[in-house]
Amino acid sequence: MDIHSFNKAIISRRALLHNFRLLQEKASPSAFLAMVKADAYGHGMLECSDYLFRNGCTIFGVAELGEAVSLRKNGISGKIFIMMGFDPQFAEAVVQQQITPVIYDRLSLHALSQAASKQNQKVAVHLKVDSGMNRLGIQLEQVDEFLDLIDTLPGVELEGVASHFPCADDRLSPETRKNYQRFTVFRERIANENLTYHIANSAGTLFHEETRRDMVRCGISLYGYYPDGVMMDTEAGLQPVMSFTTRVLQVKDVPQGEGISYGHTFRTLQPSRIAILPVGYEDGYSRKLSNCGEVIIRGRRAPVRGRVCMNMCMVDVTDIPGVETGDEVVILGAQGNETINADDLARQCGTISYEILCMIGNNNQREYI
Ligand SMILES: *Cc1c(COP(=O)(O)O)cnc(C)c1O
């Protein structure tokens, strides 16, 4: 018998497909890359990629080579970008599995060229340029050197040029225009309009249309969230893909003045009814939600009382009649007329939806519906 956890991260294929189609259509005629790194932001890289691939998505992005190879092994025959490059000792795998690396150093170019020549193949690479993020990427004064190197190395071919926005999630920041301007300077220096130029992440795609260029790379929006944490026009807009549910383990009446959970950081102000839930920080429910998180039981919100423990937390159900062991509890998602989304949890944790989704999705059994 399959033994399930009390906790379930539920992934809606319908919502994923809705977001994919919406974004692809918005971005058209730019090509669409589905960012599936970090196990598809906690939604399951293999399951999501497979579903998207069967529904017409042909370009995928991951961080590392290992992820790309595992996509290939699972039958994804589209284009797979590795955004962080690769360890030169694995150049042969890049060539053999026909992965598209994003390149920012000479060593991996040499290694690729060698591996490609040995296998009698050609590898298409994308050059990563730094237009202001000051993370990965070559600088303007290195462009000529890299173009020359790629030109002279057998087996490697420049196919595109990539950069990344640091501030595009701020709809109003002037930084994005400046970054895009610098990207344009790179483009003029490279002077080859046959290449694929791409810089837009979800924020670029949604908030700065002029930056979509030849391809957009969408992660968070594919999973139903706006990069700045503000949900817009939810009717026609993006739909959150993940929800997270659990069950009530035990319910008890606690007298006034009792401390709850480790450190007794909460004391009951009145005789209270407390429900114990099998969800803790080990399940991606951050300890930062101690005394400030909320869950939904019987269609109503119940506040977290005391510290979130490793595997459990306590919520106050004094005002929710009839709560009993086994009741479904929604931690992320909707029940009745109430909804808690990853932006709500992120705000309470001082982080962004990205981290909440990774933490919950990658620490729980996932169920695909
Ligand atoms: C993660 C990532 C993206 C996707 O970003 P979102 O904000 O999730 O859309 C795009 N490009 C690069 C280089 C990335 O690392």
Side-chain angles (χ1 to χ4, degrees):
M1 196 168 92
D2 244 12
I3 299 175
H4 296 283
S5 164
F6 292 113
N7 307 333
K8 266 194 306 210
I10 300 157
I11 309 298
S12 162
R13 292 193 181 97
R14 195 187 44 69
L16 182 66
L17 190 57
H18 166 88
N19 298 335
F20 165 59
R21 292 202 166 131
L22 185 88
L23 291 162
Q24 190 187 40
E25 191 168 313
K26 252 190 211 291
S28 167
S30 308
F32 183 88
L33 176 150
M35 194 51 85
V36 293
K37 65 191 178 193
D39 218 351
Y41 295 41
H43 296 68
M45 176 182 76
L46 296 179
E47 293 86 348
C48 291
S49 304
D50 180 60
Y51 189 64
L52 289 170
F53 184 63
R54 284 189 287 116
N55 282 282
C57 183
T58 55
I59 312 175
F60 297 87
V62 293
E64 295 208 47
L65 180 59
E67 300 169 273
V69 169
S70 115
L71 281 178
R72 277 282 181 262
K73 284 208 175 108
N74 280 271
I76 303 294
S77 57
K79 214 166 167 60
I80 305 175
F81 282 83
I82 35 178
M83 304 308 300
M84 288 205 308
F86 61 95
D87 184 329
Q89 66 173 307
F90 302 126
E92 291 200 4
V94 176
V95 177
Q96 196 181 7
Q97 303 284 331
Q98 301 187 359
I99 309 298
T100 308
V102 169
I103 297 280
Y104 45 84
D105 75 315
R106 315 172 106 252
L107 264 181
S108 43
L109 275 173
H110 284 286
L112 261 190
S113 172
Q114 248 180 14
S117 305
K118 206 162 127 192
Q119 297 179 43
N120 226 345
Q121 300 240 21
K122 263 198 177 322
V123 191
V125 303
H126 286 228
L127 190 60
K128 181 78 181 255
V129 303
D130 186 347
S131 55
M133 174 84 167
N134 287 304
R135 201 172 69 177
L136 272 186
I138 66 163
Q139 289 165 313
L140 191 61
E141 55 275 17
Q142 294 175 284
V143 164
D144 297 338
E145 166 199 334
F146 271 81
L147 290 182
D148 287 347
L149 181 61
I150 294 170
D151 247 3
T152 53
L153 285 174
V156 289
E157 225 167 30
L158 186 61
E159 181 184 65
V161 179
S163 190
H164 192 48
F165 281 130
C167 309
D169 56 323
D170 182 342
R171 298 175 203 216
L172 302 174
S173 169
E175 216 33 66
T176 300
R177 180 171 311 192
K178 249 169 54 191
N179 279 277
Y180 191 62
Q181 183 51 38
R182 280 204 217 171
F183 188 53
T184 305
V185 174
F186 274 101
R187 215 176 75 226
E188 283 162 359
R189 181 73 160 260
I190 292 163
N192 182 349
E193 283 303 309
N194 297 322
L195 302 177
T196 301
Y197 291 88
H198 48 110
I199 184 168
N201 49 5
S202 294
T205 307
L206 293 168
F207 306 153
H208 312 272
E209 289 181 27
E210 69 285 2
T211 69
R212 290 174 185 162
R213 277 291 315 188
D214 305 319
M215 181 170 80
V216 299
R217 309 185 304 256
C218 290
I220 196 69
S221 52
L222 196 51
Y223 308 106
Y225 287 90
Y226 290 86
D228 61 350
V230 180
M231 277 286 170
M232 300 183 305
D233 52 8
T234 40
E235 284 290 295
L238 302 171
Q239 297 173 0
V241 175
M242 185 190 297
S243 40
F244 181 43
T245 64
T246 186
R247 316 224 144 244
V248 172
L249 279 189
Q250 192 192 2
V251 183
K252 62 178 55 172
D253 291 308
V254 177
Q256 178 180 345
E258 284 287 311
I260 293 180
S261 192
Y262 289 122
H264 279 184
T265 58
F266 181 86
R267 265 182 202 285
T268 49
L269 300 169
Q270 58 185 47
S272 301
R273 190 142 247 254
I274 298 295
I276 291 92
L277 311 180
V279 170
Y281 54 82
E282 190 239 358
D283 310 294
Y285 198 66
S286 172
R287 194 162 174 276
K288 294 202 175 113
L289 294 161
S290 300
N291 287 313
C292 76
E294 285 182 324
V295 304
I296 312 171
I297 307 180
R298 298 198 169 224
R300 305 198 23 208
R301 297 173 96 91
V304 171
R305 297 300 197 210
R307 285 205 180 124
V308 173
C309 311
M310 186 179 281
N311 291 93
M312 283 184 264
C313 66
M314 274 61 83
V315 297
D316 194 325
V317 294
T318 311
D319 298 330
I320 309 175
V323 173
E324 56 189 25
T325 299
D327 278 3
E328 185 195 64
V329 180
V330 168
I331 308 271
L332 174 68
Q335 195 194 59
N337 297 322
E338 294 289 347
T339 302
I340 294 172
N341 66 38
D343 291 322
D344 300 330
L345 291 172
R347 227 166 287 121
Q348 291 169 323
C349 291
T351 183
I352 50 179
S353 59
Y354 299 64
E355 187 179 356
I356 299 291
L357 296 172
C358 287
M359 299 233 296
I360 291 179
N362 289 335
N363 286 295
N364 291 286
Q365 290 180 359
R366 286 186 294 246
E367 188 178 305
Y368 293 83
I369 59 166

